[in-house]
Amino acid sequence: QVQLVESGGGLVQPGDSLTLSCAASGFIFHNYAMGWFRQAPGKEREFVAHIRGLGGETNYAESVRGRFTITRDNTKNTLYLRMNNLKPEDTAIYYCARKTREFYQIGYIKEYEDWGQGTQVTVSS
């Protein structure tokens, strides 16, 4: 019954900002850490950002640290990703995911069990 629905993607120019949302249902939202991943054409899905169940502590891939901010509103069961100073290399389908395992490291994709359908972000001049 777990459902994750991403939204907010679109076409933007380099340097622009965009905020993605992920609406969650089917589980006790605040009990789980959440993450954002992205997948560009011809590339493997890669870790972007992570946030603890109750918020606060966050983790980011080096490629986005300082530009992206992951947040959550547990009263709305919603996860967010604020993306600033977007670059062409940020072009990808962005997915939110529920973290259900912890045996290697925070950004390890196999520690995430449930995935949304993704939302396309295209950064082009």
Side-chain angles (χ1 to χ4, degrees):
Q1 307 109 298
V2 172
Q3 187 172 9
L4 301 171
V5 181
E6 301 94 338
S7 62
L11 174 63
V12 298
Q13 295 185 333
D16 284 354
S17 297
L18 203 59
T19 298
L20 307 182
S21 297
C22 171
S25 61
F27 63 99
I28 302 175
F29 187 60
H30 67 257
N31 281 355
Y32 292 87
M34 298 289 294
W36 285 99
F37 288 74
R38 66 187 183 186
Q39 187 166 21
K43 298 181 66 177
E44 296 293 316
R45 191 169 299 187
E46 66 175 355
F47 169 74
V48 174
H50 163 279
I51 187 169
R52 298 285 191 181
L54 296 179
E57 184 178 337
T58 57
N59 297 271
Y60 299 91
E62 291 187 3
S63 59
V64 307
R65 187 175 295 112
R67 298 188 297 121
F68 290 11
T69 303
I70 184 171
T71 59
R72 65 193 296 160
D73 186 341
N74 287 343
T75 68
K76 298 180 178 180
N77 288 355
T78 302
L79 179 73
Y80 303 96
L81 183 68
R82 177 63 175 177
M83 304 181 292
N84 293 325
N85 191 25
L86 283 160
K87 304 176 180 180
E89 51 263 45
D90 294 319
T91 295
I93 300 175
Y94 283 72
Y95 300 88
C96 64
R98 181 174 70 137
K99 194 173 192 295
T100 61
R101 307 178 182 92
E102 50 183 38
F103 54 83
Y104 181 51
Q105 64 116 319
I106 286 174
Y108 188 41
I109 192 169
K110 292 185 178 180
E111 295 187 10
Y112 297 78
E113 181 177 344
D114 303 294
W115 301 85
Q117 292 295 105
T119 185
Q120 177 71 49
V121 173
T122 302
V123 186
S124 176
S125 60

